[in-house]
Amino acid sequence: MFLTKLTIMLWKGRRESSNVDDRRGMSGGGLAVGGGIIGVIALLINFFLGGGDASQLPQQLPGGGSPEMNTEQQAAEEELAGFVKVVFADTEDVWNTLLGQNEYQDPRLVLYRGGTESGCGYASKASGPFYCPADQQVFVDLSFYQELKNRFNVSGEFAMAYVIAHEVGHHIQYLMGTTEKMAKARQQVSEKEYNQLSVKLELQADFLAGVWAHHNQKMKSVIQPQDIEEALNAANAIGDDNLQKQSQGHVVPDAFTHGTSEQRMYWFKKGYQTGDPKQGDTFSDPDL
Ligand SMILES: [Zn+2]
């Protein structure tokens, strides 16, 4: 599953965020067990019929590994987890510097596999990465990395960094009160108008991801030209227009009302080039 080697962004040996809740070994998917779900059911039936004892109940596997992955795949997933934690730490460094430690409170990162509870409801693999304002946490099922690759044809770990930075962008919107304004608007405006606002919110999160990349580069010189290319490819691939073409029949949650591919690339680039958070007022942009 995670066989792609991470090579481009210079991230190895750098600080990993400590604001991480790694639930991969205990995700609600319940598949971290030999024999998969059928095995679990068989064991449970066995248990409830009195034919077994609690010691036979499935145990969590150490290190969040799952028998569906071989050791090489597990190592690759650990590497990806490490990368994501470094990126998360990078967002902490940049936003604490830009906004000041009084203004900025670090969000938390929840890594899960299959499914987990969030303050915004049950998260499944199909939810894709998202930010939940109710608990100020970013939820990521690492298999999304592979999905980017297989489904959207986007490769490279910086595509994943962009996705993380976009979610942290939503956290900044929460801190700035924008999220609350949106919640109020939802009750006051038509669905069509709300969707337009939603596009602006999403494009602003893309812009903030670009601002992060700009300052991360300034502070740490870890981003290479291909990385930005990858982020733009990701922004391109997961624009609404593309997703709608892709999804046909099955729902892509959190997919719509993000803006077109071109808009997403435009705003990420604008953030990356200017590095100026003040230039990201998508809400007053006459073209949107
Ligand atoms: Zn978003």
Side-chain angles (χ1 to χ4, degrees), residues 166-167 170 202 205 254 258:
H166 170 99
E167 300 309 337
H170 285 313
E202 293 302 331
D254 197 29
H258 276 69

mmCIF file of all heavy atoms in Angstrom, residues 166-167 170 202 205 254 258, ligand 1:
data_model
loop_
_atom_site.group_PDB
_atom_site.id
_atom_site.type_symbol
_atom_site.label_atom_id
_atom_site.label_comp_id
_atom_site.label_asym_id
_atom_site.label_seq_id
_atom_site.Cartn_x
_atom_site.Cartn_y
_atom_site.Cartn_z
ATOM 1 N N HIS A 166 -3.547 22.676 4.284
ATOM 2 C CA HIS A 166 -4.896 23.165 3.990
ATOM 3 C C HIS A 166 -5.806 22.964 5.212
ATOM 4 O O HIS A 166 -6.548 23.874 5.589
ATOM 5 C CB HIS A 166 -5.449 22.410 2.765
ATOM 6 C CG HIS A 166 -6.913 22.649 2.491
ATOM 7 N ND1 HIS A 166 -7.355 23.544 1.541
ATOM 8 C CD2 HIS A 166 -8.023 22.099 3.045
ATOM 9 C CE1 HIS A 166 -8.694 23.539 1.535
ATOM 10 N NE2 HIS A 166 -9.116 22.669 2.436
ATOM 11 N N GLU A 167 -5.718 21.803 5.829
ATOM 12 C CA GLU A 167 -6.556 21.541 7.015
ATOM 13 C C GLU A 167 -6.169 22.470 8.165
ATOM 14 O O GLU A 167 -7.038 22.958 8.885
ATOM 15 C CB GLU A 167 -6.457 20.073 7.452
ATOM 16 C CG GLU A 167 -6.891 19.045 6.402
ATOM 17 C CD GLU A 167 -8.265 19.311 5.781
ATOM 18 O OE1 GLU A 167 -9.088 19.995 6.413
ATOM 19 O OE2 GLU A 167 -8.500 18.864 4.646
ATOM 20 N N HIS A 170 -7.806 25.674 7.862
ATOM 21 C CA HIS A 170 -9.156 25.720 8.441
ATOM 22 C C HIS A 170 -9.107 26.018 9.941
ATOM 23 O O HIS A 170 -9.992 26.667 10.481
ATOM 24 C CB HIS A 170 -9.891 24.395 8.218
ATOM 25 C CG HIS A 170 -10.378 24.216 6.808
ATOM 26 N ND1 HIS A 170 -11.063 25.208 6.119
ATOM 27 C CD2 HIS A 170 -10.286 23.169 5.956
ATOM 28 C CE1 HIS A 170 -11.367 24.757 4.909
ATOM 29 N NE2 HIS A 170 -10.906 23.537 4.775
ATOM 30 N N GLU A 202 -12.844 27.559 1.371
ATOM 31 C CA GLU A 202 -11.887 26.536 0.945
ATOM 32 C C GLU A 202 -10.694 27.147 0.218
ATOM 33 O O GLU A 202 -9.554 26.750 0.440
ATOM 34 C CB GLU A 202 -12.577 25.499 0.052
ATOM 35 C CG GLU A 202 -13.604 24.647 0.768
ATOM 36 C CD GLU A 202 -13.015 23.890 1.955
ATOM 37 O OE1 GLU A 202 -11.816 23.562 1.925
ATOM 38 O OE2 GLU A 202 -13.748 23.647 2.913
ATOM 39 N N ALA A 205 -8.355 28.542 2.615
ATOM 40 C CA ALA A 205 -7.529 27.511 3.247
ATOM 41 C C ALA A 205 -6.378 27.111 2.313
ATOM 42 O O ALA A 205 -5.256 26.866 2.764
ATOM 43 C CB ALA A 205 -8.374 26.301 3.624
ATOM 44 N N ASP A 254 -16.895 16.141 1.529
ATOM 45 C CA ASP A 254 -15.984 17.266 1.629
ATOM 46 C C ASP A 254 -15.340 17.575 0.282
ATOM 47 O O ASP A 254 -14.280 18.158 0.190
ATOM 48 C CB ASP A 254 -14.896 16.994 2.680
ATOM 49 C CG ASP A 254 -14.199 18.278 3.106
ATOM 50 O OD1 ASP A 254 -14.857 19.332 3.058
ATOM 51 O OD2 ASP A 254 -13.004 18.237 3.442
ATOM 52 N N HIS A 258 -15.370 23.406 -3.154
ATOM 53 C CA HIS A 258 -13.991 23.768 -2.837
ATOM 54 C C HIS A 258 -13.421 24.733 -3.859
ATOM 55 O O HIS A 258 -12.331 25.250 -3.684
ATOM 56 C CB HIS A 258 -13.084 22.538 -2.818
ATOM 57 C CG HIS A 258 -13.104 21.805 -1.522
ATOM 58 N ND1 HIS A 258 -14.192 21.111 -1.086
ATOM 59 C CD2 HIS A 258 -12.166 21.668 -0.557
ATOM 60 C CE1 HIS A 258 -13.912 20.560 0.094
ATOM 61 N NE2 HIS A 258 -12.694 20.899 0.426
HETATM 62 ZN ZN ZN B 1 -11.048 22.227 3.159
#
